[in-house]
Amino acid sequence: MGQSEKPSPPLTDEQKCRFSLLKNVRYHEDREGHFAWINRALDLFVLVSGLGTVVALSDLLPPWAQVDGRWIAAATSIVGAIQLVFALSRREALHADLRRRFLALLADLEDDNVKNTARRMRALFGDEPPTFHAVDKLAYNAAMTALDRPAAYQIVVTPWQRLLRNWRRYEGVPFPRREDVPRKT
């Protein structure tokens, strides 16, 4: 579907509910992927550095490549502690669970159960961790695209906000709509 540039009719209650569900699915998909990537990278580091400790202690490396095994062991311990303290795998699982729950509501959404679905969706909001606003705005844009809404109503997310979206919450930072940003001529 291409995005319309002409004004669109107002959304129906069913479309509003579908929009919100799509936005939440996309939000939790992004957050889940973020934590999955970091968790896998740290797992790989722990595994490789654990092997590196064995190699460093066994003097199998040439002299120019030898590293004191204590440093590698310390780095491995620190990364392992970070994984435990920040519970990255639990955060990944939380977002995966929320994504699945929003998807289940989306699959059940029909014209005759909009109010019930919207109520169940609002109940899920209490299980959500604090919002990362740049991720939320990108999810909003994805939902707008999915419903073929006008591109002018999408929200501008700068390249830096996009890059740091899962690291900084951007609490209180304004995100203008495309139509509100002056065009460069």
Side-chain angles (χ1 to χ4, degrees), residues 109-163:
L109 180 62
E110 295 178 10
D111 282 336
D112 61 344
N113 70 350
V114 172
K115 287 185 181 183
N116 183 45
T117 301
R119 181 186 53 76
R120 291 170 47 210
M121 177 181 59
R122 285 189 302 274
L124 285 180
F125 293 159
D127 294 340
E128 291 188 308
T131 300
F132 278 69
H133 297 282
V135 176
D136 187 62
K137 302 316 180 210
L138 291 170
Y140 174 92
N141 290 347
M144 291 283 281
T145 300
L147 292 181
D148 198 28
R149 301 305 289 175
Y153 296 125
Q154 286 195 351
I155 297 171
V156 176
V157 179
T158 68
W160 277 110
Q161 290 168 333
R162 195 176 288 271
L163 181 67

Side-chain angles (χ1 to χ4, degrees), residues 50-123:
L51 294 172
T53 301
V54 172
V55 170
L57 294 176
S58 66
D59 293 327
L60 294 176
L61 294 173
W64 59 267
Q66 288 183 355
V67 176
D68 187 348
R70 294 176 293 185
W71 288 107
I72 296 173
T76 304
S77 298
I78 290 169
V79 169
I82 288 170
Q83 285 182 294
L84 289 173
V85 170
F86 291 104
L88 299 174
S89 61
R90 283 197 307 259
R91 291 178 188 208
E92 175 188 348
L94 170 66
H95 288 287
D97 178 57
L98 286 166
R99 180 182 52 81
R100 279 190 299 273
R101 290 163 69 187
F102 281 113
L103 274 171
L105 288 175
L106 185 59
D108 291 341
L109 180 62
E110 295 178 10
D111 282 336
D112 61 344
N113 70 350
V114 172
K115 287 185 181 183
N116 183 45
T117 301
R119 181 186 53 76
R120 291 170 47 210
M121 177 181 59
R122 285 189 302 274

Side-chain angles (χ1 to χ4, degrees), residues 131-134 137 161 168-176:
T131 300
F132 278 69
H133 297 282
K137 302 316 180 210
Q161 290 168 333
R168 183 171 172 214
R169 292 194 51 226
Y170 290 104
E171 186 78 38
V173 173
F175 288 87

